[in-house]
């Protein structure tokens, strides 16, 4: 009998999840506000509705054997009610509720003795000025809700920056955070199955520009002690979160060789995209395996090095992907285009994964591949 996976959200994460679900023999339904979304283009059924509203989520639940979400703005309250009513939804709505409010997420981490940068709730420009006296400059102002891909935070370098940042981020309540002078940013993607079994993908380095992820390097070039510490902290974070599936823990590696958690994603994550070609089992396949109760696959790398480069939009207009063949003519290079109709500056339009033997050569080849593509 056909089994259906329901995904709340129709972005690129939903698309890659849907592809993995198909490979495992599932039918896929997705919920997204407009037709023709990246996931809608590959799903068996598109339900048109907002991920923040009850109606579409109910319709999706009614046709799904196993349900998940690919976006934190999914309506956690409705997901919680549906779970109570017996629907199989993972990760748990409770986990989503904690994570979707970034301030609550930080409080949760601190309460469980996970190292995080100091932070404080901010209600006004004057509040932020007072907090700056404690944190010093630079510090960060961050949106509690709805922040993604660098759109929810600002580095405040001097007092005069505060009012502008407040105006720009005003659609959400804010909090302030102490600046972490990090050496590297790291991420650990962890998957937990229904029997409680857990596996993590090798620690990766993520490189951000303008607060948005540009490159992921697997494995991270770090010494063994930091690797162990990052894995240990990721394991401790995940142990406190309910539900099964893939989680990502983003961290800073500090100058004194410590690890501080920046944030958690209760879902497949950009720092795991290289796993499609680079690992024995992709994060997408392992997420579907986890939520449907199948055994998890190996998370080991298949090549010594895998490098992922995001293809970000650089203008506003209709997307016209070019140069894909030229990029893929480089050995070990794979290009993914998400099918978004419109491009915008810094919108995630696709990604490239390059596999290779050494870090420097693979990074160079991934960078060259990116140069050959225009959107
Ligand atoms: P976030 O909005 O929390 O996902 O952060 C996006 C990016 O902003 C991170 O990957 C870092 O590059 C930078 N960032 C966030 N928080 C801090 C911090 N406390 N100190 C320094 N850089 C930060």
């Amino acid at each position: 009998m056909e089994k259906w996976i329901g995904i709340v959200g129709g972005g690129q994460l939903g698309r890659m999840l849907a592809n993995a679900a198909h490979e495992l023999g599932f039918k896929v339904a997705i919920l997204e506000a407009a037709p023709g979304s990246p996931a809608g283009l590959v799903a068996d059924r598109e339900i048109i509705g907002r991920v923040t509203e009850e109606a579409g989520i109910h319709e999706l639940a009614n046709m799904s054997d196993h349900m998940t979400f690919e976006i934190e703005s999914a309506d956690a309250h409705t997901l919680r009610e549906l779970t109570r009513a017996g629907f199989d939804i993972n990760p748990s709505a409770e986990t989503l509720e904690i994570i979707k409010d970034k301030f609550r997420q930080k409080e949760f981490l601190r309460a469980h003795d996970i190292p995080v940068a100091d932070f404080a709730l901010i209600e006004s420009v004057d509040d932020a000025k007072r907090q700056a006296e404690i944190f010093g400059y630079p510090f960060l102002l961050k949106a509690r809700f709805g922040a993604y891909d660098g759109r929810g935070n600002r580095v405040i370098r001097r007092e005069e920056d505060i009012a502008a940042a407040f105006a720009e981020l005003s659609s959400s309540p804010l909090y302030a955070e102490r600046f972490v002078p990090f050496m590297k940013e790291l991420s650990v993607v962890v998957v937990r199955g229904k029997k409680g079994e857990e596996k993590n993908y090798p620690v990766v380095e993520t490189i951000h520009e303008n607060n948005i992820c540009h490159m992921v390097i697997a494995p991270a070039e770090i010494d063994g002690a930091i690797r162990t510490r990052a894995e240990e902290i990721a394991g401790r974070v995940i142990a406190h979160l309910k539900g099964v599936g893939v989680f990502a823990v983003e961290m800073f590696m500090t100058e004194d060789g410590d690890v501080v958690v920046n944030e958690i994603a209760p879902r497949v994550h950009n720092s795991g995209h290289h796993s499609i070609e680079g690992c024995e089992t992709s994060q997408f396949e392992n997420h579907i395996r986890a939520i449907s109760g199948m055994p998890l696959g190996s998370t080991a790398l298949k090549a010594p090095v895998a490098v992922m480069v995001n293809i970000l939009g650089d203008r506003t207009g209709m997307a016209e992907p070019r140069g894909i063949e030229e990029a893929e003519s480089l050995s070990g290079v794979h290009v993914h285009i998400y099918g978004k109709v419109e491009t915008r500056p810094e919108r995630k339009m696709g990604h490239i994964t390059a596999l290779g033997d050494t870090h420097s050569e693979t990074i160079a080849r991934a960078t060259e591949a990116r140069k050959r593509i225009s959107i």
Side-chain angles (χ1 to χ4, degrees), residues 35-57:
S37 62
L41 292 171
V42 302
D44 303 286
R45 174 87 191 275
E46 269 180 289
I47 295 171
I48 305 306
R50 290 188 192 284
V51 302
T52 50
E53 288 172 11
E54 202 179 298
I57 297 181

Side-chain angles (χ1 to χ4, degrees), residues 92-151:
S92 92
E94 228 175 287
T95 295
L96 177 61
E97 246 159 20
I98 295 166
I99 289 180
K100 72 191 302 178
D101 175 350
K102 289 197 170 193
F103 179 76
R104 192 168 159 202
Q105 182 190 139
K106 285 266 150 77
E107 283 189 311
F108 173 86
L109 289 167
R110 190 165 61 184
H112 287 101
D113 284 328
I114 306 290
V116 289
D118 293 338
F119 59 96
L121 209 54
I122 291 295
E123 279 172 4
S124 65
V125 171
D126 283 340
D127 255 7
K129 286 181 184 167
R130 274 190 294 276
Q131 198 58 45
E133 283 170 24
I134 298 168
F135 287 168
Y137 293 93
F139 70 98
L140 283 100
L141 276 178
K142 293 189 171 186
R144 283 179 71 167
F145 299 99
Y148 68 100
D149 295 347
R151 287 176 182 85

Side-chain angles (χ1 to χ4, degrees), residues 27-76:
K27 293 276 188 185
V28 177
I30 67 107
L31 170 67
E32 182 55 70
S37 62
L41 292 171
V42 302
D44 303 286
R45 174 87 191 275
E46 269 180 289
I47 295 171
I48 305 306
R50 290 188 192 284
V51 302
T52 50
E53 288 172 11
E54 202 179 298
I57 297 181
H58 275 204
E59 195 181 334
L60 184 70
N62 282 327
M63 65 176 302
S64 302
D65 294 283
H66 311 287
M67 200 162 143
T68 189
F69 47 85
E70 59 115 55
I71 186 160
E72 276 93 332
S73 57
D75 174 359

